Amino acid sequence: MRSYGQFCPVARAVDVLGDRWTMLILRELLIRDSRYSDLRDALPGIATNLLAERLRQLESDGLVERVGLPRPASAAAYRLTDRGRAVEPVIHALAQWGAPLLSPGQGDDAFRSHWLRLAAPLLLDGTDLAQLEGLTVLVRTGDAPVLFVVEAGRLDVRPAPSPCSAEVEMSGEPSALLDFLRTGGGPGVTVTGAAEAVRAWRDVLARSRTPAG
Amino acid sequence: MRSYGQFCPVARAVDVLGDRWTMLILRELLIRDSRYSDLRDALPGIATNLLAERLRQLESDGLVERVGLPRPASAAAYRLTDRGRAVEPVIHALAQWGAPLLSPGQGDDAFRSHWLRLAAPLLLDGTDLAQLEGLTVLVRTGDAPVLFVVEAGRLDVRPAPSPCSAEVEMSGEPSALLDFLRTGGGPGVTVTGAAEAVRAWRDVLARSRTPAG
DNA sequence: CCGGATCCACTAGGATACTG
DNA sequence: CAGTATCCTAGTGGATCCGG
């Protein structure tokens, strides 16, 4: 991208981060280290040459590094450097601001379950997870099941192993499921498991909180 | 901008905010309500049709409103709506991350003094302004002088009236001045005024703080 | 199958001239 | 002053192909 040519911290940041796709590539690498094809799968519509060029640029800007083998080799992955990981507050602020834009529903948009790793803790921001310590929730939606684990007062989201047992199981369309995470109710989501754990989970989700965004 | 087509809060946010120039237009309107020509002056290099189109888009997205007269009239200005103002955390996060990118210096980049309204409080983040309550600093740099005022423990930056008297006066190149704000020292900045006030001001700036970015 | 490179059609952005 | 209209170029999207 052409520089804005402004001696201003915002402009200098956007010079580096403002290219098309760049922020979404960083989102992916914030969620997990990824191989080239992982990124391509998580970014439907990106042209392969663009992905390659963005990664090169991010590497030369010091936000991303290749881990594994040197340049001409396979099975390597991309990972954020410390400087790249420092973009996290920007991504989080964007996600907070963008959360209300999910309300119109999914439409024809793509969805990947691992995005919940970023979105779910955000949607639960302001809830009190202390009483759920240790709870596990298996979530079936999108392309692959994921496992919610409450630990240290935080919600962590990881790929679900198979087989996988959890105290609570939820399933439904991504759109319904995100509504459910925000409100603790709504149609289109099936919740099963031990009655007490289910009840505690729904209670926490239904608790009033600062509205996201 | 074409939508990324992803059911993800980050992607939906970038769908709206990710167009070229959009973030800088929002930065301007976060600093102050602006007329069309104010924006054009603060965004050197923007094509006038692009500025018009971005403003139209931001208006239809509900981030910006025209204030003053209805469509076919002059002397009107653009202002952020509440939803537009909610982008502030994103801009601040970008500015924090971008602050280290100022170190290479100004080069050929443009500078506008009013940008200090956003940048200066950020560069002083982590300092204790309580002991400077009420201090005024006249800053001469860039295209117009600005006045720093410490009140309610915060640093506020406003256009300097003329004539203007302040307890402390600083002047120098933008690059030197920003370094000075970060470190309390460095070459290229002239500081004058009552010795005690000058000393207190330098002391606070020199105090260690969380490094920006 | 992974990690790209190449080619081509298209669209968004940049520069400038012009108008109510 | 506040934009529109135009032309041109650079960046993007999509498909296909290639080497390890």
Side-chain angles (χ1 to χ4, degrees), chain A residues 169-189:
Chain A
E169 292 196 21
M170 303 175 59
S171 62
E173 290 301 305
S175 174
L177 207 128
L178 290 179
D179 280 349
F180 192 91
L181 288 178
R182 284 193 302 150
T183 65
V189 176

Side-chain angles (χ1 to χ4, degrees), chain A residues 83-157:
Chain A
R83 177 66 177 156
R85 200 157 294 278
V87 177
E88 183 167 357
V90 177
I91 306 257
H92 280 181
L94 282 169
Q96 280 289 0
W97 189 85
L101 301 175
L102 295 178
S103 327
Q106 184 173 358
D108 289 335
D109 287 359
F111 178 81
R112 297 290 183 273
S113 307
H114 71 269
W115 294 342
L116 288 171
R117 183 161 187 187
L118 202 140
L122 192 113
L123 294 173
L124 269 62
D125 202 37
T127 61
D128 179 21
L129 296 174
Q131 56 194 295
L132 297 180
E133 189 67 24
L135 179 72
T136 55
V137 182
L138 179 62
V139 179
R140 299 185 191 281
T141 192
D143 56 325
V146 293
L147 186 67
F148 287 14
V149 179
V150 179
E151 58 183 15
R154 290 179 46 260
L155 175 66
D156 191 34
V157 179

Side-chain angles (χ1 to χ4, degrees), chain B residues 144-174:
Chain B
V146 293
L147 186 66
F148 288 13
V149 180
V150 178
E151 60 183 13
R154 290 178 47 259
L155 174 67
D156 191 33
V157 179
R158 27 187 107 151
S162 61
C164 175
S165 74
E167 301 166 62
V168 178
E169 291 196 21
M170 302 174 61
S171 62
E173 289 303 303

Side-chain angles (χ1 to χ4, degrees), chain B residues 2 36-37 48-49 56 66 78:
Chain B
R2 164 193 293 223
Y36 191 88
S37 45
T48 106
N49 57 343
R56 259 197 306 270
R66 290 163 182 268
Y78 295 88

Side-chain angles (χ1 to χ4, degrees), chain B residues 90-113:
Chain B
V90 177
I91 306 255
H92 280 181
L94 282 169
Q96 281 289 359
W97 189 85
L101 301 175
L102 296 177
S103 328
Q106 183 172 356
D108 290 335
D109 287 359
F111 178 80
R112 297 291 183 272
S113 307

